[in-house]
């Protein structure tokens, strides 16, 4: 038996695997401090401003839009992000997120010729998609400090699939399954992934 | 004088049970059903069945912050959070705050516990396995520590008795290392586990896979409802579908009319009469008023958990300078746990259209296959280990990097990921005299009481076994055709198995053990210790079922001895 193919799993691999299994539930800031000069923030010590919440809602809605099921902001994702950044993340991670958010807003405003939140849905979508593809389009660098779009994607997905809309309408969820069957087809099981396996 | 006599009379029972967890509930049930007026003392708060399980049916999205506990609050649970799975919004109320209940670690020791009626019977893992004859014989055969004073035949009828009452599901396999039991129907394998079982058993003569044996009901049983496959056990079960004090032992004890339950009652010592050489009762501190009170009884059952019961004996110093029952010098020593955090994981290719319904609160079990004679004997370690695990298909196929954004994301998350199979070992930890707990007054808890100092480590036998646990797990998974097989091996952190054992061990000789074969303290025969403290060796099976069987057996003996006038 070839034992050399068995390697002890390292931390990076573990993080990657967690991101497979839980759909990116890496909510702790894995980034190291990487401030690029932006320190300004209109956020109070307790949370994002209404304008910032609006901005975060618009970005998250590009990541998970409203269709026949609710989108990110309707499901409550901005509040989730606010809680994570201001209650869970440490000072360093919070400063990093805010700095990158401000830089993202600035870049959007300069490219779109207006604030991101005032751009059309299509313009918002194109801008976020472009930023997304820059990071995730080719070889993904798992070791690099996380760009804003990466953090937003993780936070939006994690947040959305912990909400009622995400868990029960996009995925499926049964509080009381009632029975166990480990051998039925995907269709027989409802044709959707279990939100809470 | 008359008033004092009256007070003493009011505080007098036939029996006192200290602790209301897995073994305390059993002691109370057995003693009350045999007619003894029994006082059950619990150091923590009252928890009424279902009513006091605040999250028993809370859906995930109603738990704040995606079920995570904020860092500020986590500071109170620095040690309790070491498991990584216990301090959640859904279950944090079952664990003590380390800031209120400190302890000292000469070496890292993870002491996981909750102070409330029901104890850890509310949060336990429910895996229920019998020890075998080879476990009871091992110490004597190998010259390790001291011999168990009992053999499998002494405990077998009591295993039958407790299994019939609590309801354990499983499959009788006729294995010498894992005796059969009185089982409810087993839970089902999933398709992938079935296939992997077939492959393992075709590739190995010495290894097999069975379904986990767990104290979850697979059929309605004694007024309790069968499992609804929510896998929310640690949040408390409104169906009474798993064994806990509240679901299974407290109701019949209460029904006798013989039980008085007193929560918020911290037993600080056992009272002793040097003339009769018997215990006369216990002293408690009321956790609310901080007042001391005394209660009296003919017999005392210590079921305060391994560390808790040992703490009480060590703190009973009025007539015993080194603690009650410590003539041997073994009290507080020989601490064991099961060492875990080692195993392997891999991807199973195939069964892509197969999925599952329900959340099974149980997994598969690969019973011990090492050091059972002949070719199974190992050159560099003794004893053995079992594996627990399972196949699962969790979440979606794509990683956060691969997922699209936009409308497509909602479709992609509904493509399930591959089947995976993982298993982790539970290894036997030998009893070493130097692995110990002691009391200190340098650090006091929030009640001003002495606290525990742990000095426990793994040694060569454990480390060598762990290498084999990782290698064999990978070997099994590769033989079963899994892909991308990866081993893991953390440090063997004592306590993390939450199976602490052995600090008041049973034995044949009062010079080398604390308890006799009926769990009586050698020097104070009307004090019984029937929780994990009594274990002479750890075996590799999850131990709670054994505590239950030993408790029922000891309670039966205590009542017989009382009737004969011997206690």
């Amino acid at each position: 038996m070839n034992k050399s193919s068995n390697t002890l799993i390292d931390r990076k691999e573990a993080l990657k695997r967690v991101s497979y299994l839980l759909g990116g539930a890496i909510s702790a800031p894995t980034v190291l401090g990487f401030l690029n000069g932006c320190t300004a923030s209109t956020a109070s010590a307790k949370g994002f401003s209404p304008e910032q919440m609006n901005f975060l809602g618009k970005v998250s809605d590009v990541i998970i839009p409203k269709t026949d099921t609710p989108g990110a902001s309707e499901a409550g994702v901005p509040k989730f992000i606010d809680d994570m950044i201001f209650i869970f993340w440490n000072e360093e991670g919070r400063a990093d997120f805010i700095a990158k958010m401000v830089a993202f807003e600035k870049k959007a405003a300069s490219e779109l010729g207006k604030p991101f939140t005032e751009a059309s849905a299509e313009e918002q979508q194109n801008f976020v998609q472009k930023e997304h593809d820059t990071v995730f389009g080719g070889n993904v660098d798992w070791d690099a400090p996380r760009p804003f779009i990466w953090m937003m994607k993780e936070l939006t997905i994690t947040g959305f699939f912990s909400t009622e809309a995400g868990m029960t309408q996009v995925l499926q969820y049964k509080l009381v399954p009632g029975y166990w069957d480990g051998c039925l087809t995907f269709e027989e099981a409802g044709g959707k992934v279990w939100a809470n396996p | 004088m008359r008033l004092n006599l009256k007070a003493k009379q009011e505080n007098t029972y036939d029996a006192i049970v200290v602790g209301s967890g897995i073994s305390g509930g059993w002691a109370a049930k057995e003693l009350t059903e045999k007619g003894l007026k029994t006082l059950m003392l619990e150091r923590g708060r009252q928890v009424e069945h279902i009513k006091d399980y605040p999250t028993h049916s809370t859906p995930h999205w109603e738990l704040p912050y995606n079920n995570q506990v904020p860092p500020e609050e986590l500071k109170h649970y620095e040690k309790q959070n070491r498991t990584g799975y216990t301090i959640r919004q859904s279950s944090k109320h079952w664990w003590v705050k380390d800031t209120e209940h400190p302890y000292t670690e000469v070496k890292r020791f993870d002491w996981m516990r909750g102070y409330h009626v029901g104890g850890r019977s509310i949060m336990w893992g429910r895996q229920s396995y019998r020890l075998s004859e080879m476990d009871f014989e091992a110490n004597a055969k190998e010259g390790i520590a001291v011999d168990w004073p009992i053999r499998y035949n002494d405990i077998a009828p009591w295993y039958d008795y407790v299994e019939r009452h609590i309801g354990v599901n499983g499959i009788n396999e006729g294995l010498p290392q894992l005796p059969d039991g009185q089982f409810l129907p087993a839970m089902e394998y999933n398709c992938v586990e079935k296939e992997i079982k077939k492959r393992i058993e075709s590739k190995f003569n010495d290894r097999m896979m069975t379904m986990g044996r767990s104290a979850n009901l697979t059929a309605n049983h004694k007024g309790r409802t069968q499992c609804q496959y929510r896998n929310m056990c640690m949040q408390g079960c409104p169906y009474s579908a798993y064994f806990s004090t509240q679901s299974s032992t407290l109701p019949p004890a209460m029904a006798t009319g013989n039980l008085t339950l007193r929560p918020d009652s911290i037993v600080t010592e056992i009272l002793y009469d040097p003339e009769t050489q018997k215990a006369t009762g216990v002293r408690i501190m009321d956790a609310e008023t901080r007042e001391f009170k005394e209660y009296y009884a003919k017999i005392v059952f210590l079921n305060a958990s391994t560390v808790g019961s040992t703490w009480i004996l060590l703190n009973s110093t009025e007539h015993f300078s080194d603690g009650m029952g410590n003539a041997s010098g073994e009290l507080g020593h020989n601490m064991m746990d099961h060492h875990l955090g080692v195993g392997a994981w891999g991807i199973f290719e195939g069964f892509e259209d197969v999925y599952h319904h329900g959340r099974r609160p149980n997994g598969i079990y690969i019973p011990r296959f090492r050091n059972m004679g002949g070719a199974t004997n190992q050159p560099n370690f003794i004893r053995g280990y079992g594996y627990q695990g399972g196949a699962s298909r969790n979440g979606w196929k794509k990683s956060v990097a691969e997922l699209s954004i936009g409308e497509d994301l909602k479709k992609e998350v509904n493509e399930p990921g591959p089947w995976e199979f993982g298993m982790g070992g539970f290894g036997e930890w030998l009893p070493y005299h130097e692995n110990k707990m002691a009391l200190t007054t340098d650090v006091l808890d929030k009640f001003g009481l002495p606290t525990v100092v742990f000095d426990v480590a793994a040694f060569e036998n454990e480390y060598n076994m762990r290498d084999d646990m990782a290698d064999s797990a990978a070997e099994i998974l590769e033989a079963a055709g899994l892909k991308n097989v990866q081993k893991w091996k953390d440090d063997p952190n004592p306590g993390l198995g939450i199976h602490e054992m052995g600090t008041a061990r049973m034995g044949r000789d009062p010079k080398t053990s604390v308890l006799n074969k009926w769990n009586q303290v050698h020097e104070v025969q009307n004090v019984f210790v029937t929780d994990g403290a009594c274990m002479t060796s750890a075996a590799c099976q999850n131990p709670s079922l054994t505590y239950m069987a030993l408790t029922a057996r000891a309670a039966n003996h205590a009542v017989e001895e009382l009737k004969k006038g011997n206690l």
Side-chain angles (χ1 to χ4, degrees):
Chain A
M1 211 147 302
N2 177 14
K3 283 197 184 175
S4 63
S5 65
N6 308 320
T7 47
L8 279 174
I9 184 167
D10 65 18
R11 183 168 168 72
K12 186 177 132 200
E13 187 58 33
L15 280 174
K16 248 164 108 173
R17 220 173 71 202
V18 166
S19 84
Y20 270 99
L21 302 186
L22 305 180
I26 312 170
S27 52
T30 51
V31 286
L32 296 170
F34 192 76
L35 306 182
N36 50 6
C38 301
T39 51
S41 165
T42 54
S44 71
K46 292 210 170 136
F48 291 113
S49 67
E51 295 75 26
Q52 287 173 321
M53 289 292 271
N54 183 36
F55 166 75
L56 292 170
K58 297 272 193 258
V59 177
S60 66
D61 276 337
V62 176
I63 296 167
I64 302 182
K66 182 175 170 66
T67 54
D68 55 340
T69 56
S73 59
E74 184 184 341
V77 166
K79 171 77 169 83
F80 174 79
I81 296 175
D82 190 51
D83 287 342
M84 289 300 115
I85 303 297
F86 284 90
I87 299 175
F88 281 79
W89 289 26
N90 65 22
E91 189 56 46
E92 197 179 22
R94 180 160 50 246
D96 178 59
F97 183 89
I98 291 168
K100 287 173 177 170
M101 180 180 78
V102 170
F104 190 94
E105 279 182 290
K106 269 190 193 165
K107 187 177 177 192
S110 94
E111 287 190 19
L112 299 173
K114 58 192 141 186
F116 180 84
T117 48
E118 289 170 23
S120 71
E122 199 187 342
E123 287 169 327
Q124 290 175 351
Q125 212 178 314
N126 290 340
F127 182 79
V128 173
Q129 186 73 53
K130 181 170 66 70
E131 291 294 309
H132 177 266
D133 293 348
T134 306
V135 175
F136 296 111
N139 281 337
V140 177
D141 185 354
W142 287 87
D143 290 326
R146 297 286 189 259
F148 179 71
I149 185 65
W150 187 318
M151 293 191 277
M152 272 303 284
K153 190 177 180 185
E154 279 186 357
L155 286 165
T156 301
I157 292 172
T158 306
F160 185 77
F161 292 106
S162 69
T163 67
E164 184 171 10
M167 293 183 80
T168 65
Q169 295 185 51
V170 177
L171 302 175
Q172 60 170 341
Y173 176 92
K174 280 188 184 173
L175 183 63
V176 186
Y179 65 93
W180 160 253
D181 187 337
C183 286
L184 74 181
T185 68
F186 187 66
E187 290 312 314
E188 286 166 344
K192 284 181 167 187
V193 161
W194 294 112
N196 180 8
Chain B
M1 192 65 192
R2 274 191 62 219
L3 274 175
N4 281 345
L5 275 175
K6 191 168 174 248
K8 180 152 185 173
Q9 211 171 11
E10 277 175 4
N11 284 359
T12 299
Y13 296 81
D14 295 326
I16 291 171
V17 174
V18 182
S20 63
I22 285 175
S23 67
W26 264 101
K29 169 179 149 14
E30 294 304 298
L31 297 172
T32 56
E33 286 183 341
K34 293 179 196 306
L36 270 57
K37 293 286 179 194
T38 302
L39 173 66
M40 180 191 250
L41 297 166
E42 164 53 51
R43 64 167 296 154
R45 67 183 190 276
Q46 171 66 303
V47 169
E48 283 187 41
H49 191 35
I50 305 173
K51 176 176 149 302
D52 292 332
Y53 306 156
T55 60
H56 70 72
S57 294
T58 309
H60 184 89
W61 56 86
E62 287 179 14
L63 298 163
Y65 314 128
N66 192 22
N67 203 14
Q68 301 169 90
V69 174
E72 270 305 304
E73 192 179 348
L74 270 185
K75 286 177 186 164
H76 293 291
Y77 299 98
E78 183 253 325
K79 292 170 183 175
Q80 301 304 302
N81 193 36
R82 288 176 184 173
T83 62
Y85 61 85
T86 46
I87 307 303
R88 305 271 174 85
Q89 298 289 352
S90 54
S91 55
K92 64 186 180 186
H93 40 275
W94 299 133
W95 306 89
V96 299
K97 288 184 172 166
D98 294 307
T99 43
E100 294 177 354
H101 301 286
Y103 62 88
T104 305
E105 303 166 276
V106 175
K107 303 181 190 83
R108 174 174 163 172
F109 190 92
D110 303 333
W111 185 22
M112 305 297 159
R113 76 273 188 218
Y115 294 151
H116 49 257
V117 170
R120 287 183 289 195
S121 79
I122 294 179
M123 313 91 96
W124 72 308
R126 308 167 308 285
Q127 292 288 302
S128 300
Y129 301 99
R130 296 184 176 203
L131 268 58
S132 74
E133 186 70 342
M134 72 179 72
D135 297 312
F136 289 107
E137 286 178 345
N139 278 6
K141 275 190 172 171
E142 294 161 354
I144 298 290
V146 297
D147 187 15
W148 275 92
I150 58 170
R151 288 293 180 265
Y152 181 69
N153 281 343
D154 294 309
I155 194 175
W158 298 100
Y159 276 134
D160 288 343
Y161 179 70
V162 298
E163 284 166 351
R164 284 196 184 104
H165 182 73
I166 70 175
V168 177
N169 63 75
I171 303 168
N172 283 324
E173 303 279 8
L175 303 170
Q177 74 274 40
L178 194 73
D180 291 345
Q182 306 296 326
F183 297 140
L184 297 174
M187 290 187 174
E188 295 284 334
Y189 300 107
N190 61 38
C191 273
V192 173
E193 290 162 348
K194 253 183 230 167
E195 177 62 23
I196 290 174
K197 171 180 163 66
K198 207 161 54 180
R199 293 185 191 177
I200 290 173
E201 290 169 7
S202 73
K203 294 273 169 74
F204 297 94
N205 290 325
D206 59 345
R207 300 171 209 192
M208 63 88 64
M209 181 195 286
T210 187
M211 194 60 215
R213 298 171 180 176
S214 80
N216 295 87
L217 301 181
T218 49
N220 294 343
H221 183 74
K222 298 195 178 238
R224 298 161 51 203
T225 305
Q226 69 183 45
C227 180
Q228 301 297 304
Y229 296 93
R230 310 184 321 153
N231 198 20
M232 293 163 67
C233 307
M234 208 194 285
Q235 291 165 237
C237 187
Y239 303 93
S240 307
Y242 73 86
F243 168 86
S244 66
T245 296
Q246 279 87 342
S247 73
S248 179
T249 47
L250 199 54
M254 282 294 183
T256 63
N258 290 328
L259 185 68
T260 304
L261 168 60
R262 193 182 197 284
D264 299 309
S265 306
I266 304 165
V267 173
T268 57
E269 63 197 286
I270 297 174
L271 305 171
Y272 178 76
D273 179 352
E275 270 183 36
T276 61
Q277 298 185 12
K278 283 181 189 165
T280 54
V282 300
R283 182 172 294 128
I284 70 153
M285 178 197 275
D286 186 297
E288 296 288 306
T289 65
R290 309 280 165 105
E291 284 170 347
F292 286 93
K293 281 192 164 135
E294 293 182 354
Y295 291 95
Y296 310 99
K298 295 172 199 147
I299 55 172
V300 175
F301 266 69
L302 279 185
N303 300 96
S305 83
T306 292
V307 177
S309 293
T310 306
W311 186 99
I312 292 166
L313 290 169
L314 286 170
N315 203 47
S316 299
T317 52
E318 195 178 334
H319 301 279
F320 304 89
S321 57
D322 298 325
M324 178 182 281
N326 198 13
S328 65
E330 296 295 337
L331 183 64
H333 291 265
N334 310 297
M335 173 77 83
M336 300 170 282
D337 186 15
H338 288 124
H339 57 94
L340 35 75
V342 48
W345 171 92
I347 300 271
F348 184 92
E349 291 178 346
F351 289 105
E352 268 124 33
D353 190 45
V354 173
Y355 208 44
H356 66 278
H357 180 281
R359 299 182 290 273
R360 186 188 60 190
N362 194 5
I364 61 90
Y365 192 64
I366 296 183
R368 172 177 166 180
F369 52 90
R370 292 304 200 197
N371 295 317
M372 302 190 331
T376 70
N377 289 351
Q378 297 299 299
N380 64 350
F381 68 91
I382 59 171
R383 313 291 168 95
Y385 54 84
Y387 291 115
Q388 297 176 24
S392 59
R393 198 175 193 187
N394 295 337
W396 46 80
K397 198 186 295 181
K398 292 183 170 172
S399 75
V400 65
E402 295 163 328
L403 280 171
S404 303
I405 58 172
E407 286 185 24
D408 285 350
L409 183 144
K410 287 183 175 174
K411 294 190 196 92
E412 291 168 13
V413 295
N414 274 310
E415 296 161 10
W419 281 97
E420 297 151 12
F421 186 90
M423 59 187 197
F426 281 64
E428 178 163 359
W429 204 309
L430 294 177
Y432 302 98
H433 179 79
E434 58 263 56
N435 278 347
K436 63 181 187 287
M437 59 168 279
L439 304 193
T440 180
T441 50
D442 294 344
V443 179
L444 300 175
D445 68 9
K446 74 165 179 177
F447 301 105
L449 295 170
T451 58
V452 179
V453 180
F454 292 101
D455 185 356
V456 180
F459 293 98
E460 194 184 354
N461 199 67
E462 288 74 40
Y463 281 105
N464 288 344
M465 186 189 290
R466 293 173 73 74
D467 291 341
D468 189 57
M469 287 157 86
D471 292 344
S472 298
E475 180 191 31
I476 289 168
L477 296 194
E478 294 211 326
L482 280 99
K483 301 289 188 273
N484 190 27
V485 172
Q486 301 187 55
K487 299 185 266 191
W488 75 82
K489 191 168 65 186
D490 299 335
D491 291 332
N493 298 313
L496 207 53
I498 325 186
H499 292 164
E500 58 274 12
M501 288 176 260
T503 45
R505 71 183 176 199
M506 296 166 75
R508 297 174 189 274
D509 185 350
K511 291 194 197 72
T512 56
S513 60
V514 179
L515 307 173
N516 71 11
K517 66 175 177 178
W518 298 106
N519 297 73
Q520 294 165 279
V521 173
H522 286 302
E523 296 129 66
V524 190
Q525 301 246 323
N526 64 337
V527 175
F528 295 75
V529 184
T530 68
D531 56 26
C534 76
M535 299 290 279
T536 312
S537 70
C540 66
Q541 297 90 321
N542 304 51
S544 299
L545 185 75
T546 298
Y547 307 163
M548 297 189 219
L550 287 173
T551 301
R553 176 175 175 272
N556 183 65
H557 179 75
V559 173
E560 281 178 8
E561 291 295 291
L562 272 177
K563 279 186 198 153
K564 289 183 203 155
N566 291 341
L567 286 176

